[in-house]
Amino acid sequence: MNSYISLAYLILFLPAVVLLYAVMPKKAKPYVLLAASVAFAYLISHFFIIYLVVTALSVYVAALLVKKQKERCKTARTVAENREEKKIIKARYTRIQLFIVSLAIILNIGILSVLKYSPFFLTTFNQVFAMFNIGIKLPLPKFHACIGISFYTLQAVSYIHDVYKDKVEADTNFARLALYMSFFPIIMEGPICRYADTALPLWEGKKIEYKNFTYGLQRIAYGIMKKVVVADRTNLLVTTIFREFQYCNYDGGIILLGAVMYTIELYMEFSGTIDIVIGSAEIFGITIPENFRQPFFAKSISEFWQRWHITLGTWFRDYIFYPVTMSKPMKKLTKNCRKKLGRDYGPLPASIIAFFCVWLCNGLWHGAGWEYIFFGMYHFALISLGALVLPLSNKLFEKLHLSRKSIPYKIFAVARTCILVCIGEMFFNARGLNEGFKMFKILVSRFSLKAFFNGGIFTIGMDRFDYIIVAVILVIVLIVGIMREKGRSVRDLIAAKPFAVRFLIFLTMLAVIIIFGAYGKGYIPINPIYANF
Amino acid sequence: MQKKMNPTLKKWLLGIAFVMAAVAMVVLLSVFFNEKTPDTDALKDVKPYGLLAEPDDTIDVLIFGDSEAFSTFSPVQMWEEYGFSSYVVSSASQYISLTDSFVKQSLAHQKPKVVFLETNAMFRKMTADKPLESTLERIFPVFQYHNLWKNFDPANVNENEDDYFWNNALKGFKYISIVNPSKKKDYMKATGKRKPLPASNESYVESIINTCKKHGVEPVFVSAPSTVNWNYAKHNTVTDLAKKYGVKYIDLNLENAIGLDWSKDTCDRGDHVNYFGATKTTAYFGNYIKNNFELADRRNDPAYSEWNTLHEKYAEVTAGSKSKI
């Protein structure tokens, strides 16, 4: 079992857990989920599940220690004689709590950094040593991490931080916290859940309801269709175009096609998997936060990141952007800048510093490599530029009596965002930063649409039938997206139809997956892209 | 007054009806999509299935394995040089469970003298999915043959039960002319270590050997040259397996007489040999087969006249490389 799309998960693991969960009494249901989650983590990570156990235990203990300090602080403050003394007591206990929380965060981010980033940093050091002819060559260690470490580590950090900030109570039940950390549908590719939203519903042991069950299955089927029919099909074309040495043979038009197709593939793979994740949890009556909200309807890069991998964006917002902008030096900077630069531009320097921290972390989170850091910096540059230009462009729009709400502007803004995103993804998928720049150079200097007219695009991994299938499914996804954007639920709409219509719709969907799925001989399914993060 | 049905019972009945309708649909689709479905080249993986188009009992040597097999061994070259017929039944990233089913499928139609099993797939780790996939494909052929939809014509379904419609002119060989050198040259350093086979893989190897023996065919292990995929620890494991099951084993990674030049003879830094490497390896391997197994020279046999025309297509496909040799 290596992904949620595997047969072992879909026809063995998930049905077995659902069955067991359904027959168990209410009190035992959460333990069924916990046992299933531990089994799932073991099946995908084997012995390396130990890292997950260490993380869960460390934040559990740290949170209880923080809780104890808070209680002691409260008691000490009640016997304090005046406000000054109360303040001193609070500061003393806050320092202790901060020390505990920092220790827990350093430990967990440390594990993540050593396992994921040490080869990258050591290689960089070796390259620097070689550049200056220093005869040192550091050995490169080979580490195996627990699958999903980048996801559950962020959940662990958010939990301990929220306990410290009094947003949630420290959990005294280790099993409940362990289930929140390891719940099997989210362990591999997120979404990154928050303790406050997820831990208690998970532990409730809700009954499996007919509606949740059928809606969950429908969401799973929709996700499978996106992944198997589209993402695995475009994979043939994408790997052909992006292959080392191969892309040099193509013109800019094909490179652009590769960038667009890779972006489609990434979206269909990741959002399809998230559909399966959310659908799986829905069966048990658990609502997992959405990770995508029609990202290609975004009118700016900033908005795009509020619609794409939402839970990662909000995590960076809450645990990096806000703490940085609200820190004392940044507040001081904003105050000074307001005086010199005025209201519009005053807060920008502090925001841009915070954006830099967010996007550096975002790039590194996606992978240990210069191409990922570039990917982060690319979006940092675009978002910062957007923030810098916004006051100016607002004035310009006002003077020219143009409206950002007009349809032509909206179309322009959406198209501009899509193009910028596709270029970013091209660097993201290139075999290294150098290769990314070479591809970009070909895209600009050798741009031609010849292959689109002479049939060349049908010879690089996808024939015309493949393009038709991809186009049809994209139209379906677009329609569903438009309906969701308007706040309408497609599943509610279908559920209101007579059973014959419902049967027809779902059987057609099943037939589409079986016949047009890009699986079996000759196709190599994409590995879950985000599971490696 | 008509009595209303209990809502829970209604939901259960609807659920059961849907499952039954879905199964019926899959069964129906399997009637339209199966190995007899007429098709030309819509099936993505024509190489291994091309064997089904060969007349029964006409292939002398069968070679099974993953991409190492189809990039290394050229049946047309072996025919030209040694006069025996062969076919490479292999596909990219093939799992040993699939090799097992290919062997069973192939030996139902062919009676070769010898079956070679390329050893790289033995070390490919399988997830629980693979046996599940095979079972599903066996029960409902649509899961295996669904890709035929591109050239699908319902009018021809099951028209002639004995006809298979796709053929492979290179007899399973894949021509790759790209040169991408390997720097790794000392990858076969002798060691006493063993690389263990992934769990359950040996049972498939055993099954392949048993199938061969059941059909009176000699199974032989062969390791194709690869600086990326092969090493001495794997060589030791396969040597042990060969001894255990009484099977011959030839490791082409240790045959220096082939004369491979890893700066020119690989397409992907030593992962696979390219056409130039394949030409050298096939010449050596063909000679090994000729010397170790009694195979008739069929070049003058009228029943094999089609094989004497293959060099034309082969020359056409490999034309671009002749000047580079």
Side-chain angles (χ1 to χ4, degrees), chain B residues 164-181:
Chain B
Y164 294 90
F165 292 82
W166 49 90
N167 202 325
N168 188 261
L170 302 191
K171 307 295 176 193
F173 172 65
K174 185 175 181 182
Y175 165 72
I176 313 161
S177 65
I178 301 165
V179 177
N180 192 1

Side-chain angles (χ1 to χ4, degrees), chain B residues 104-115:
Chain B
K104 284 179 181 139
Q105 187 183 45
S106 304
L107 294 187
H109 295 277
Q110 299 290 342
K111 266 197 186 138
K113 271 257 160 136
V114 54
V115 156

Side-chain angles (χ1 to χ4, degrees), chain A residues 521-522, chain B residues 42-50 70 90-92 102 166:
Chain A
K521 321 285 179 307
Chain B
L43 192 71
K44 288 269 178 193
D45 213 3
V46 291
K47 289 189 299 299
Y49 289 95
F70 68 57
S90 69
S91 55
F102 272 140
W166 49 90

Side-chain angles (χ1 to χ4, degrees), chain A residues 165-277:
Chain A
K165 288 281 179 190
D166 286 324
K167 287 181 187 166
V168 295
E169 274 266 319
D171 203 331
T172 49
N173 183 347
F174 178 66
R176 183 165 53 203
L177 182 70
L179 178 57
Y180 156 70
M181 293 286 297
S182 64
F183 183 41
F184 68 88
I186 61 168
I187 184 98
M188 260 173 114
E189 297 197 46
I192 300 158
C193 298
R194 301 292 174 88
Y195 179 86
D197 307 325
T198 319
L200 292 179
L202 268 175
W203 203 249
E204 265 178 47
K206 286 179 188 165
K207 211 176 135 191
I208 294 182
E209 301 285 349
Y210 178 79
K211 188 183 171 188
N212 287 338
F213 182 73
T214 49
Y215 272 34
L217 288 183
Q218 289 161 25
R219 185 89 190 245
I220 290 173
Y222 186 58
I224 295 172
M225 186 178 79
K226 281 155 90 176
K227 159 81 166 64
V228 176
V229 182
V230 179
D232 287 341
R233 174 165 268 109
T234 53
N235 190 33
L236 284 172
L237 176 128
V238 169
T239 43
T240 307
I241 295 177
F242 278 80
R243 196 175 292 151
E244 217 173 350
F245 306 112
Q246 189 78 20
Y247 63 84
C248 304
N249 302 328
Y250 301 123
D251 60 31
I254 296 279
I255 301 289
L256 180 66
L257 177 72
V260 172
M261 283 303 201
Y262 176 67
T263 309
I264 291 172
E265 176 182 315
L266 190 64
Y267 176 61
M268 295 305 240
E269 195 280 330
F270 192 19
S271 72
T273 305
I274 293 297
D275 287 328
I276 297 170
V277 165

Side-chain angles (χ1 to χ4, degrees), chain A residues 211-399:
Chain A
K211 188 183 171 188
N212 287 338
F213 182 73
T214 49
Y215 272 34
L217 288 183
Q218 289 161 25
R219 185 89 190 245
I220 290 173
Y222 186 58
I224 295 172
M225 186 178 79
K226 281 155 90 176
K227 159 81 166 64
V228 176
V229 182
V230 179
D232 287 341
R233 174 165 268 109
T234 53
N235 190 33
L236 284 172
L237 176 128
V238 169
T239 43
T240 307
I241 295 177
F242 278 80
R243 196 175 292 151
E244 217 173 350
F245 306 112
Q246 189 78 20
Y247 63 84
C248 304
N249 302 328
Y250 301 123
D251 60 31
I254 296 279
I255 301 289
L256 180 66
L257 177 72
V260 172
M261 283 303 201
Y262 176 67
T263 309
I264 291 172
E265 176 182 315
L266 190 64
Y267 176 61
M268 295 305 240
E269 195 280 330
F270 192 19
S271 72
T273 305
I274 293 297
D275 287 328
I276 297 170
V277 165
I278 292 176
S280 300
E282 203 170 355
I283 291 175
F284 303 102
I286 294 147
T287 309
I288 295 290
E290 292 290 341
N291 229 8
F292 293 92
R293 197 165 46 83
Q294 297 74 255
F296 297 102
F297 290 174
K299 292 182 277 300
S300 67
I301 290 291
S302 173
E303 191 191 346
F304 176 82
W305 282 99
Q306 288 161 27
R307 290 165 170 269
W308 174 284
H309 207 171
I310 299 167
T311 55
L312 180 70
T314 49
W315 194 95
F316 281 130
R317 183 196 65 197
D318 294 348
Y319 301 105
I320 293 184
F321 186 84
Y322 286 159
V324 172
T325 46
M326 300 311 275
S327 65
K328 275 181 189 165
M330 288 300 127
K331 275 184 173 170
K332 207 174 160 187
L333 179 72
T334 304
K335 206 175 163 187
N336 290 338
C337 290
R338 268 217 173 108
K339 281 179 197 161
K340 287 174 187 165
L341 302 171
R343 253 188 172 182
D344 285 343
Y345 286 103
L348 272 183
S351 297
I352 287 176
I353 291 171
F355 276 142
F356 177 80
C357 298
V358 164
W359 287 101
L360 182 68
C361 292
N362 190 309
L364 278 171
W365 184 88
H366 279 92
W370 289 108
E371 66 272 35
Y372 299 111
I373 294 177
F374 177 82
F375 176 77
M377 290 299 104
Y378 173 80
H379 287 97
F380 161 67
L382 292 174
I383 289 174
S384 302
L385 200 69
L388 279 170
V389 171
L390 189 67
L392 271 180
S393 71
N394 276 345
K395 279 177 191 163
L396 191 75
F397 268 69
E398 215 172 286
K399 271 197 173 175

Side-chain angles (χ1 to χ4, degrees), chain B residues 59-307:
Chain B
I59 304 294
D60 299 320
V61 176
L62 281 174
I63 304 164
F64 294 89
D66 60 12
S67 57
E68 294 297 341
F70 68 57
S71 58
T72 306
F73 307 112
S74 169
V76 178
Q77 187 188 337
M78 287 196 272
W79 171 265
E80 294 286 308
E81 292 173 2
Y82 304 103
F84 59 82
S85 60
S86 59
Y87 200 101
V88 184
V89 186
S90 69
S91 55
S93 308
Q94 194 175 105
Y95 289 95
I96 194 75
S97 60
L98 183 61
T99 312
D100 183 36
S101 60
F102 272 140
V103 170
K104 284 179 181 139
Q105 187 183 45
S106 304
L107 294 187
H109 295 277
Q110 299 290 342
K111 266 197 186 138
K113 271 257 160 136
V114 54
V115 156
F116 284 97
L117 180 61
E118 206 289 318
T119 52
N120 193 44
M122 288 183 192
F123 291 90
R124 183 161 290 115
K125 217 173 160 185
M126 283 194 298
T127 55
D129 280 343
K130 296 299 145 192
L132 271 177
E133 270 172 28
S134 308
T135 312
L136 210 60
E137 286 174 356
R138 207 176 49 245
I139 302 171
F140 303 112
V142 64
F143 288 103
Q144 189 173 353
Y145 297 97
H146 63 102
N147 283 326
L148 298 170
W149 64 270
K150 287 179 182 175
N151 283 16
F152 184 68
D153 182 357
N156 295 331
V157 172
N158 285 340
E159 201 176 53
N160 185 344
E161 294 247 327
D162 293 329
D163 280 354
Y164 294 90
F165 292 82
W166 49 90
N167 202 325
N168 188 261
L170 302 191
K171 307 295 176 193
F173 172 65
K174 185 175 181 182
Y175 165 72
I176 313 161
S177 65
I178 301 165
V179 177
N180 192 1
S182 165
K183 286 178 187 161
K184 229 164 141 187
K185 278 163 190 149
D186 55 348
Y187 67 103
M188 289 303 284
K189 268 188 195 162
T191 173
K193 287 181 187 166
R194 264 108 182 115
K195 165 96 181 166
L197 285 188
S200 83
N201 280 21
E202 190 178 332
S203 64
Y204 286 101
V205 175
E206 196 179 346
S207 163
I208 291 167
I209 293 168
N210 290 339
T211 308
C212 289
K213 287 182 176 165
K214 200 176 96 188
H215 286 83
V217 181
E218 182 173 358
V220 179
F221 296 154
V222 57
S223 299
S226 171
T227 66
V228 173
N229 293 314
W230 207 247
N231 56 46
Y232 217 92
K234 287 185 179 178
H235 168 88
N236 287 338
T237 305
V238 177
T239 306
D240 294 346
L241 265 183
K243 272 185 199 156
K244 184 175 170 185
Y245 293 104
V247 168
K248 279 187 193 144
Y249 173 40
I250 174 168
D251 188 344
L252 296 170
N253 294 276
L254 295 173
E255 305 296 321
N256 292 330
I258 296 172
L260 284 174
D261 176 353
W262 287 107
S263 66
K264 291 175 190 159
D265 293 337
T266 168
C267 57
D268 42 17
R269 298 180 181 171
D271 198 345
H272 304 89
V273 292
N274 56 17
Y275 169 66
F276 313 108
T279 306
K280 291 178 188 175
T281 315
T282 301
Y284 186 88
F285 185 56
N287 189 41
Y288 165 82
I289 297 173
K290 192 79 187 166
N291 292 336
N292 286 277
F293 306 93
E294 284 175 18
L295 298 173
D297 188 337
R298 303 186 188 276
R299 278 174 287 194
N300 295 322
D301 185 340
Y304 285 79
S305 58
E306 184 250 336
W307 280 78

Side-chain angles (χ1 to χ4, degrees), chain A residues 1 6-8 12 210 244-245 463 465-466 469 499 503 506-507 510-511 514-517 519 521 523, chain B residues 11 14 18 22 25-26 29 44-45 49 98 127 129 132-133 137 143-144 146-147 149-150 180 269:
Chain A
M1 193 154 53
S6 65
L7 285 178
L12 285 184
Y210 178 79
E244 217 173 350
F245 306 112
D463 59 26
F465 292 110
D466 291 318
I469 289 296
F499 84 88
F503 267 38
F506 297 130
L507 286 177
L510 202 62
I514 293 172
I515 298 172
F516 303 118
Y519 62 90
K521 321 285 179 307
Y523 289 106
Chain B
K11 283 170 189 169
L14 274 178
F18 182 76
M25 185 188 73
V26 174
L29 286 174
K44 288 269 178 193
D45 213 3
Y49 289 95
L98 183 61
T127 55
D129 280 343
L132 271 177
E133 270 172 28
E137 286 174 356
F143 288 103
Q144 189 173 353
H146 63 102
N147 283 326
W149 64 270
K150 287 179 182 175
N180 192 1
R269 298 180 181 171

